[in-house]
């Protein structure tokens, strides 16, 4: 989702903003822009396209000045165009603003501003902010008061940074339901939509809370509530290093992040779950809420709770549907799983829940989810830059196993993951056959069901191949009608007691002309397959899900690369989705 970066200090702002926008590319975007102020000269350069193209085409480097703001936009209101790119200005060209989120009352504000003679240059909701500030500057004695009045008039979600000739040394910041952090430097300060854009410069961060305003200049950071009552900023230190946020010689972040997973197992198992274990013991009813890949981790969590912990009644919910499916229930223990900690659907579900006991499982310290939960468990997976979640998914599974079984399985899981990372070449070869199919079903049962869902999501996310995951036994209740020659089914087939039933499902597909692919350690599956990979180590039945994590990620990765797609930046998708 949109990225924000701001700088005030002694260095060239345009360089820092451009570098920061590159670091934020992983979030997904369609246009970029910067505004730099030099004395009374405010210049905005922006366009649709990628950071490298727009920054060179629009000569970002020719802007001098040591205060500025930069933005990467993922279109919501208004199409992808130069005019709709941020920063937006006012009627006089004296103000520049960047905004993430959605201003829900923008039409009302816009009509009122239009009636006062304001001229709008874009179709965005965001542009009302600069015009409203322009208007308020005329009415209120200081730019800070004008800013707080502007912010107070907004409904919806926002992370906003504003630059104005009226206060040429200051950046004005505000946040509600959209992340914004301040990075503290020496003789310079920064702000961004997430830590990763600033790790080259600082480890000390202030995370703005909802309905807070901040001002930063080169030497100071001031924090206020909306009524401008000063607040004491409390800084946290982020221990992610820059290297973990770099590609380190790999062609893509995704493959780097897949291959570093053996270490992720150890890091995730070091998570502190001590405060949560008593809650897990105590509560019978458990609601798990998540989206996308995190939902698949949640699905495995719910299966394990129901099947292996007696007296537990666990349900997993797609976050965006939580409010539609249950009444608020204060007797349920809530687990919210989100690697970013900023997924709007998850945050909204947490706000809806009346339970006083909410646990989040997240990779991001200080993220919004941690503020909405009574307990936080950190994944310790380090920064994940590829849009498609890989190592954070594994870390989620590890934390779930730690919650349920302690450290008992840590070493076996690590060995399984390590062994799977060595199968790259075989999976690359396998992927060449997969991508020749126009439709790919992922079929699995039992504990491997969530892995089938995740493997299919990963494949469609980054290779754009049409794929769908099913519980293998459900296929015959309708979807089997789609099976014919040219349709392919990939079976996740561990040698478990359930294997006979899965084998029957394989025969059903085969009898109808479907092409059979298997990932299996079971010879009978192998002999019935058009193509089979024997890369699933025999293991404790409880651990079979881990056998498929890396192979399915590699399958998606190599399919994407073979199809000439950049797996790190799938079209239309964003890493952290901050709108509902
Ligand atoms: C987006 C990403 C998915 C991710 C989902 C949930 O849709 O593209 O890859 O799984 O958000 O993200 P979260 O940060 O809540 O785990």
């Amino acid at each position: 989702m949109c990225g924000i970066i701001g700088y005030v200090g002694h260095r060239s702002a345009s360089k820092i903003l451009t570098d920061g926008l590159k670091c934020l590319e992983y979030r997904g975007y369609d246009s970029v822009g910067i505004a730099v102020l030099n004395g009374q000269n405010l210049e905005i350069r922006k366009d649709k396209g990628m950071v490298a193209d727009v920054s060179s085409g629009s000569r970002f480097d020719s802007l001098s000045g040591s205060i500025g703001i930069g933005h990467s936009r993922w279109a919501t209101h208004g199409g992808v165009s130069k005019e709709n790119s941020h920063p937006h200005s006012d009627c006089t060209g004296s103000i520049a603003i960047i905004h993430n989120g959605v201003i829900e009352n923008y039409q009302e504000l816009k009509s009122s501003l239009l009636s006062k003679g304001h001229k709008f240059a874009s179709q965005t909701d965001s542009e009302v902010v600069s015009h409203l500030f322009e208007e308020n500057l005329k009415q209120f004695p200081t730019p800070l008061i004008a800013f707080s009045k502007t912010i107070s008039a907004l409904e919806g979600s926002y992370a906003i940074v504003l630059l104005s000739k009226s206060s040429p040394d200051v950046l004005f910041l505000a946040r509600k339901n959209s992340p914004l952090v301040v990075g503290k430097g020496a003789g310079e300060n920064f702000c961004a939509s997430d830590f990763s854009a600033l790790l080259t410069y600082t480890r000390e961060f202030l995370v703005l809370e909802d309905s807070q305003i901040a001002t930063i200049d080169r030497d100071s950071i001031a924090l206020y509530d909306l009524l401008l009552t000063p607040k004491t900023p409390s800084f946290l230190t982020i221990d992610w290093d820059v290297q973990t946020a770099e590609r380190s010689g790999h062609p893509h972040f995704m493959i780097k992040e897949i291959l570093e997973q053996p270490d992720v197992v150890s890091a995730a198992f070091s998570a502190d779950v001590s405060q949560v274990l008593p809650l897990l013991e105590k509560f019978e009813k458990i609601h798990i809420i998540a989206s996308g890949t995190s939902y698949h981790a949640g699905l495995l969590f719910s299966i394990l709770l129901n099947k292996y912990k007696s007296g537990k009644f666990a349900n997993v919910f797609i976050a965006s549907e939580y409010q539609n499916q249950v009444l608020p229930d204060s007797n349920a223990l809530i687990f919210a799983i989100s690697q970013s900690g900023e997924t709007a659907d998850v945050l909204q579900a947490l706000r809806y829940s009346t339970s006083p006991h909410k646990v989040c499982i997240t990779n991001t310290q200080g993220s919004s989810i941690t503020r909405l939960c009574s307990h936080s468990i950190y994944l310790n997976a380090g920064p994940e830059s590829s849009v498609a979640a890989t190592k954070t998914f594994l870390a989620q599974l590890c934390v779930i196993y730690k919650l349920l079984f302690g450290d008992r399985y840590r070493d076996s899981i690590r060995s399984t993951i390590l062994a799977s990372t060595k199968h790259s070449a075989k999976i690359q070869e396998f992927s060449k056959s997969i991508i020749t199919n126009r439709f790919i079903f992922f079929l699995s049962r039992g504990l491997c069901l969530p892995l089938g869902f995740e493997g299919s999501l990963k494949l469609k996310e980054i290779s754009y191949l049409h794929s769908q995951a099913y519980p293998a036994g459900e296929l015959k209740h309708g979807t089997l009608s789609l099976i014919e020659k040219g349709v392919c089914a990939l079976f996740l087939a561990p040698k478990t007691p359930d294997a006979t039933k899965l084998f029957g499902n394989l025969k059903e597909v085969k009898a109808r002309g479907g092409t059979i692919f298997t990932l299996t350690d079971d010879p009978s599956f192998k002999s019935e397959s058009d193509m089979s990979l024997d890369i699933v180590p025999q293991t404790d039945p409880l651990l079979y899900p881990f056998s498929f994590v890396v192979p399915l990620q590699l399958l998606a990765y190599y399919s994407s690369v073979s199809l000439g797609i950049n797996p790190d930046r799938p079209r239309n998708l964003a890493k952290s989705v901050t709108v509902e």
Side-chain angles (χ1 to χ4, degrees):
M1 199 96 330
C2 315
I4 278 182
I5 172 110
Y7 175 75
V8 49
H10 46 82
R11 299 193 243 183
S12 156
S14 67
K15 165 101 178 72
I16 288 173
L17 300 176
T18 310
D19 291 348
L21 288 172
K22 284 184 187 147
C23 290
L24 290 167
E25 281 195 296
Y26 77 93
R27 297 170 69 95
Y29 68 103
D30 45 56
S31 24
V32 283
I34 64 171
V36 176
L37 184 60
N38 192 2
Q40 283 298 294
N41 183 28
L42 177 65
E43 277 217 52
I44 296 178
R45 303 267 167 93
K46 59 184 189 177
D47 212 338
K48 61 181 178 185
M50 299 291 101
V51 179
D53 301 331
V54 179
S55 63
S56 64
S58 304
R59 293 296 315 273
F60 283 8
D61 61 349
S62 67
L63 297 183
S64 57
S66 49
I67 179 166
I69 55 181
H71 188 267
S72 54
R73 173 175 189 249
W74 187 83
T76 54
H77 290 62
V80 178
S81 67
K82 181 171 179 171
E83 306 76 62
N84 289 338
S85 311
H86 297 219
H88 293 291
S89 197
D90 63 326
C91 299
T92 63
S94 307
I95 296 159
I97 69 103
I98 50 180
H99 163 234
N100 286 355
V102 177
I103 310 289
E104 286 167 6
N105 59 338
Y106 84 99
Q107 270 164 329
E108 191 186 316
L109 293 170
K110 191 169 174 174
S111 317
S112 144
L113 287 159
L114 284 169
S115 70
K116 290 180 182 143
H118 287 261
K119 300 260 179 299
F120 281 75
S122 77
Q123 290 85 51
T124 64
D125 53 333
S126 312
E127 197 187 340
V128 294
V129 180
S130 42
H131 290 276
L132 190 55
F133 180 74
E134 178 191 3
E135 197 59 33
N136 284 337
L137 265 184
K138 297 178 203 157
Q139 290 180 38
F140 296 99
T142 67
L144 180 59
I145 299 175
F147 185 67
S148 79
K149 295 288 178 195
T150 303
I151 298 303
S152 304
L154 307 178
E155 286 166 19
S157 59
Y158 48 79
I160 288 170
V161 187
L162 180 145
L163 175 61
S164 164
K165 287 185 189 175
S166 58
S167 301
D169 308 317
V170 182
L171 292 180
F172 294 90
L173 281 56
R175 166 212 162 122
K176 188 179 162 206
N177 296 341
S178 192
L180 189 57
V181 302
V182 175
K184 189 176 177 185
E188 56 185 354
N189 284 308
F190 308 80
C191 62
S193 43
D194 68 57
F195 308 124
S196 60
L198 302 179
L199 289 173
T200 326
Y201 313 108
T202 181
R203 299 293 148 80
E204 251 195 294
F205 290 97
L206 162 69
V207 181
L208 258 67
E209 290 184 23
D210 282 347
S211 306
Q212 283 189 333
I213 283 177
T215 56
I216 62 173
D217 59 29
R218 53 183 288 176
D219 299 312
S220 63
I221 296 165
L223 189 65
Y224 308 92
D225 65 14
L226 284 183
L227 299 171
L228 294 181
T229 315
K231 299 275 152 195
T232 311
S234 87
F235 290 86
L236 58 91
T237 306
I238 297 292
D239 55 10
W240 292 353
D241 64 54
V242 188
Q243 262 189 348
T244 14
E246 284 171 352
R247 275 195 279 131
S248 319
H250 291 281
H252 302 103
F253 279 111
M254 185 174 178
I255 188 69
K256 172 182 177 268
E257 288 160 5
I258 291 173
L259 296 179
E260 68 196 20
Q261 289 181 104
D263 292 340
V264 168
V265 176
S266 318
F269 267 95
S270 71
D272 180 4
V273 298
S274 57
Q275 308 278 311
V276 177
L277 289 176
L279 294 175
L280 199 53
E281 275 307 307
K282 184 173 147 200
F283 279 83
E284 282 189 353
K285 196 192 289 180
I286 295 164
H287 287 181
I288 302 161
I289 301 166
S291 307
T293 290
S294 299
Y295 172 81
H296 299 143
L299 179 58
L300 183 59
F301 192 17
S302 75
I303 297 172
L304 289 165
L305 277 164
N306 290 321
K307 179 109 178 133
Y308 293 92
K309 291 274 158 188
S310 62
K312 301 291 172 205
F313 302 98
N315 274 304
V316 60
F317 297 89
I318 295 219
S320 56
E321 288 297 325
Y322 187 63
Q323 303 181 55
N324 302 333
Q325 295 183 354
V326 287
L327 287 169
D329 186 345
S330 29
N331 294 319
L333 171 62
I334 309 290
F335 278 92
I337 310 179
S338 169
Q339 68 79 22
S340 64
E342 300 294 348
T343 300
D345 290 331
V346 178
L347 301 181
Q348 203 46 45
L350 283 170
R351 289 188 196 102
Y352 172 76
S353 161
T354 50
S355 170
H357 301 289
K358 296 178 185 150
V359 181
C360 65
I361 301 178
T362 182
N363 200 33
T364 318
Q365 282 182 60
S367 55
S368 304
I369 202 171
T370 62
R371 288 154 204 279
L372 291 170
C373 288
S374 54
H375 298 78
S376 303
I377 302 176
Y378 291 105
L379 299 172
N380 302 324
E384 186 176 68
S385 298
S386 177
V387 165
T390 54
K391 62 176 179 171
T392 53
F393 174 65
L394 173 66
Q396 288 165 348
L397 299 189
C398 291
V399 163
I400 288 163
Y401 272 64
K402 170 141 185 159
L403 279 166
L404 295 172
F405 311 112
D407 286 335
R408 198 182 319 158
Y409 295 116
R410 183 191 52 205
D411 297 343
S412 318
I413 292 172
R414 192 174 187 283
S415 313
T416 302
I417 297 299
L418 186 62
S420 334
T421 56
K422 310 247 182 321
H423 294 306
S424 265
K426 285 188 200 165
I427 297 169
Q428 187 168 13
E429 208 43 46
F430 191 72
S431 72
K432 290 183 186 150
S433 306
I434 289 283
I435 60 172
T436 60
N437 293 280
R438 61 183 164 81
F439 197 113
I440 301 140
F441 283 107
F442 281 65
L443 300 173
S444 52
R445 299 178 81 110
L447 291 184
C448 292
L449 189 62
L451 271 294
F453 284 121
E454 175 57 10
S456 168
L457 177 69
K458 208 92 304 174
L459 186 71
K460 68 183 135 205
E461 239 181 325
I462 60 170
S463 74
Y464 317 152
L465 290 169
H466 190 174
S467 152
Q468 203 169 354
Y470 262 93
E474 182 63 12
L475 203 65
K476 58 185 176 290
H477 298 298
T479 312
L480 201 58
S481 63
L482 294 177
I483 303 290
E484 58 179 347
K485 211 166 173 338
V487 175
C488 152
L490 174 66
F491 286 84
L492 311 191
K495 202 166 185 218
T496 60
D498 218 15
T500 347
K501 287 186 188 155
L502 190 71
F503 191 69
N505 303 140
L506 178 152
K507 292 292 237 177
E508 288 156 14
V509 175
K510 198 171 165 132
R512 284 151 186 92
T515 310
I516 309 287
F517 290 87
T518 48
L519 297 179
T520 189
D521 56 348
D522 189 330
S524 49
F525 276 87
K526 210 173 165 189
S527 59
E528 289 291 331
S529 305
D530 293 286
M531 197 165 179
S532 176
L533 268 191
D534 183 6
I535 51 166
V536 182
Q538 290 205 344
T539 182
D540 187 311
L542 212 54
L543 299 188
Y544 269 121
F546 290 94
S547 304
F548 295 99
V549 170
V550 174
L552 292 172
Q553 294 169 348
L554 287 171
L555 182 64
Y557 173 75
Y558 286 118
S559 300
S560 170
V561 172
S562 302
L563 290 164
I565 296 163
N566 177 353
D568 284 344
R569 316 234 180 290
R571 67 184 179 202
N572 306 339
L573 299 179
K575 177 127 193 101
S576 164
V577 180
T578 52
V579 291
E580 279 180 78

